[in-house]
Amino acid sequence: MKYKISLFLLFVFVLNSCQNEDEKRRAENEKEAKKKEVIFDNINKGWVFIDEPINEISEQKASSWNEWRDFLKEIGDKPRKTIGAFQKKSTAIAKKAMALNENIPSEFNVPAIKSRISILITKIKMMDLFIHLNQIPSEKVTFLIGEINKELVSLERQMDNIIVKSKIPKEQGEEDFLKMLDTTRAIPNTKKDPLLEDK
């Protein structure tokens, strides 16, 4: 009889502890779900890219530079519903940004544009990295979206500057003068210094 009572008490104890474990697990799952919902809301509110060209030059380039047009279109489409949709969109934006380096129009194939594209790509890759972490730092993701917007504005303004400068007429002889200043075209000095020969 004592054996049955102790077995019954053991059974009640195990059943009670299992219920406590289930309650703890349920509470943790609810806490995690609320946390993910807050992260989703923060990213959803902060996911605002400048997808329209800010000046006439970048708008013209959107029609002739396919990679630029595709990139602007990609950042213009906002994902909905889940954090997974934001992760997929972030990866797609990173791929389109990488393509900007491939076919830069000849007038923009200068260090000022290339460096701005590189900075833009770096910030987009950082955003893509942060949004794919297990514990997503939503503040960093939204901060990087703001930084990406600043880089987009900087890139478009630089495009505008290049076109404006190219329209300024050159004075007579200016082209030759600029060639003379180019040190890569200089004739190498092949004469030996007579003072050094004596030594």
Side-chain angles (χ1 to χ4, degrees):
M1 184 72 173
K2 288 182 183 181
Y3 177 71
K4 289 182 179 178
I5 293 174
S6 32
L7 190 60
F8 177 73
L9 290 175
L10 180 64
F11 178 72
V12 169
F13 176 74
V14 169
L15 187 62
N16 190 25
S17 65
C18 287
Q19 286 177 346
N20 287 341
E21 290 287 323
D22 287 343
E23 287 175 20
K24 285 180 186 176
R25 205 172 303 126
R26 218 174 292 124
E28 286 176 13
N29 287 344
E30 285 178 22
K31 196 177 189 181
E32 192 67 29
K34 286 179 183 176
K35 196 175 185 182
K36 285 182 179 178
E37 191 176 320
V38 168
I39 289 170
F40 174 79
D41 288 342
N42 288 343
I43 292 174
N44 192 29
K45 286 177 192 169
W47 195 275
V48 179
F49 287 103
I50 299 173
D51 60 333
E52 291 295 319
I54 63 164
N55 55 33
E56 203 175 302
I57 302 303
S58 57
E59 194 170 337
Q60 289 170 0
K61 284 300 147 193
S63 63
S64 61
W65 185 9
N66 292 336
E67 289 79 9
W68 179 247
R69 181 181 59 242
D70 293 344
F71 174 73
L72 290 177
K73 185 179 178 199
E74 193 67 49
I75 64 173
D77 297 335
K78 185 176 180 178
R80 302 275 183 229
K81 297 183 182 176
T82 65
I83 203 72
F86 282 103
Q87 290 171 332
K88 286 178 186 174
K89 178 56 77 173
S90 176
T91 302
I93 290 172
K95 285 180 184 174
K96 296 292 182 183
M98 290 296 292
L100 288 175
N101 261 339
E102 292 172 10
N103 294 320
I104 301 173
S106 58
E107 68 268 27
F108 295 140
N109 201 0
V110 295
I113 294 291
K114 287 181 175 182
S115 64
R116 282 170 175 77
I117 290 174
S118 293
I119 293 169
L120 180 67
I121 290 170
T122 301
K123 292 194 176 177
I124 289 172
K125 283 184 170 182
M126 285 173 58
M127 178 194 69
D128 189 40
L129 172 81
F130 283 127
I131 206 164
H132 280 90
L133 293 175
N134 288 335
Q135 297 294 322
I136 300 171
S138 59
E139 301 83 25
K140 287 185 180 180
V141 172
T142 53
F143 173 76
L144 283 167
I145 290 170
E147 291 294 306
I148 290 166
N149 283 331
K150 287 179 190 174
E151 293 306 324
L152 280 169
V153 169
S154 173
L155 177 60
E156 290 180 7
R157 285 191 178 142
Q158 188 62 40
M159 287 179 187
D160 198 33
N161 283 345
I162 288 171
I163 297 299
V164 167
K165 285 180 182 177
S166 70
K167 289 180 179 176
I168 298 172
K170 296 211 184 298
E171 291 183 20
Q172 184 180 2
E174 185 178 354
E175 196 67 40
D176 294 332
F177 180 72
L178 291 173
K179 284 181 183 177
M180 286 179 12
L181 289 176
D182 187 5
T183 58
T184 60
R185 296 175 38 93
I187 299 172
N189 188 3
T190 56
K191 282 187 177 180
K192 292 188 177 181
D193 192 359
L195 295 174
L196 292 175
E197 286 181 5
D198 292 341
K199 294 181 181 179

